[in-house]
């Protein structure tokens, strides 16, 4: 079911989400709603708090693991990750121009760890392990940030952030 996406400056986006203790129907329904919402609004990932559910679950597009050659369309391949944990494999900074379903009409360059791993489980409780570099690494960190109540605009300069906040207030 399509659910409304919370948008900045909704204070609920700063809440820290709770770990998932057991994968029951409520978790499976949540994952389905996240997937329906992501496919409808479009994007490369979504986290549960973005649809107002404060539990640790994200969906990421693992087609980004492969290099997308210029002009070649690779179908999106969404994976549900329950209780994702990020491990930094290469702390060198990689800069990506990020956007977010919860931060409409704005993109900004964000510096994050160049290479990370994400560990968690799928909806059957089986372990999941991804390693990502560059753009995919940024996506994994971006989605996990949502579970800790952080948006990418919390990681940009004060000046850029206040420009965005002013723009939002004019609306
Ligand atoms: Ni986001």
């Amino acid at each position: 079911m399509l659910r409304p996406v919370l948008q900045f400056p909704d204070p609920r986006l700063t809440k820290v989400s709770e770990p998932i203790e057991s994968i029951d129907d409520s978790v499976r329904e949540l994952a389905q709603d996240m997937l329906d919402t992501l496919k409808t609004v479009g994007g490369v990932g979504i986290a549960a708090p973005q649809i107002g559910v404060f539990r640790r679950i994200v969906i990421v597009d693992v087609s980004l693991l492969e290099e997308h050659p210029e002009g070649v369309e690779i179908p999106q391949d969404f994976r549900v990750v329950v209780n994702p944990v990020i491990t930094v494999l290469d702390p060198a900074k990689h800069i990506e121009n990020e956007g977010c379903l919860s931060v409409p009409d704005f993109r900004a360059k964000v510096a994050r760890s160049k290479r990370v791993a994400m560990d968690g489980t799928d909806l059957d409780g089986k372990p999941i392990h991804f390693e990502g570099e560059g753009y995919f690494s940024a996506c994994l960190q971006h989605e996990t940030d949502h579970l800790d109540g952080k948006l990418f605009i919390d990681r940009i300069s004060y000046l850029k952030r206040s420009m965005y906040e002013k723009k939002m207030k004019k609306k």
Side-chain angles (χ1 to χ4, degrees):
M1 191 178 68
L2 174 64
R3 306 264 295 254
V5 176
L6 303 187
Q7 294 191 334
F8 179 84
D10 192 314
R12 288 174 291 174
L13 287 166
T14 65
K15 277 178 73 166
V16 176
S17 292
E18 297 288 332
I20 289 171
E21 308 270 330
S22 69
I23 297 162
D24 54 17
D25 284 348
S26 75
V27 174
R28 284 184 281 269
E29 251 169 60
L30 168 60
Q32 189 58 54
D33 286 354
M34 288 166 65
L35 195 59
D36 293 344
T37 304
L38 180 58
K39 283 183 173 168
T40 305
V41 297
V44 295
I46 193 166
Q50 292 184 276
I51 60 166
V53 181
F54 303 93
R55 305 180 79 183
R56 300 187 82 84
I57 178 166
V58 299
I59 295 180
V60 291
D61 176 9
V62 296
S63 76
L64 302 172
L65 269 168
E66 293 163 46
E67 283 279 306
H68 287 215
E70 203 70 47
V72 176
E73 283 272 325
I74 294 177
Q76 290 190 302
D77 184 7
F78 293 120
R79 297 296 162 81
V80 175
V81 187
V82 175
N83 295 327
V85 174
I86 295 286
T87 308
V88 175
L89 302 176
D90 183 349
K93 289 300 166 213
H94 171 85
I95 293 171
E96 204 59 63
N97 197 27
E98 294 190 21
C100 179
L101 301 176
S102 296
V103 184
D105 308 322
F106 187 66
R107 298 188 81 84
K109 292 194 171 106
V110 182
R112 297 184 187 268
S113 302
K114 187 179 165 199
R115 188 171 178 83
V116 299
M118 175 181 274
D119 287 277
T121 75
D122 66 12
L123 288 172
D124 297 317
K126 292 201 188 98
I128 279 183
H129 176 86
F130 303 132
E131 290 181 14
E133 196 161 314
Y135 182 52
F136 188 56
S137 169
C139 292
L140 296 177
Q141 293 171 77
H142 176 120
E143 296 312 330
T144 310
D145 263 1
H146 278 296
L147 305 181
D148 295 320
K150 276 207 181 91
L151 298 173
F152 77 90
I153 52 173
D154 297 322
R155 296 188 180 276
I156 63 177
S157 73
Y158 176 76
L159 186 69
K160 275 199 186 139
R161 189 189 162 108
S162 42
M163 273 163 51
Y164 176 65
E165 287 176 357
K166 262 187 213 146
K167 189 174 131 189
M168 291 300 288
K169 274 186 199 135
K170 278 192 197 139
K171 283 192 174 171

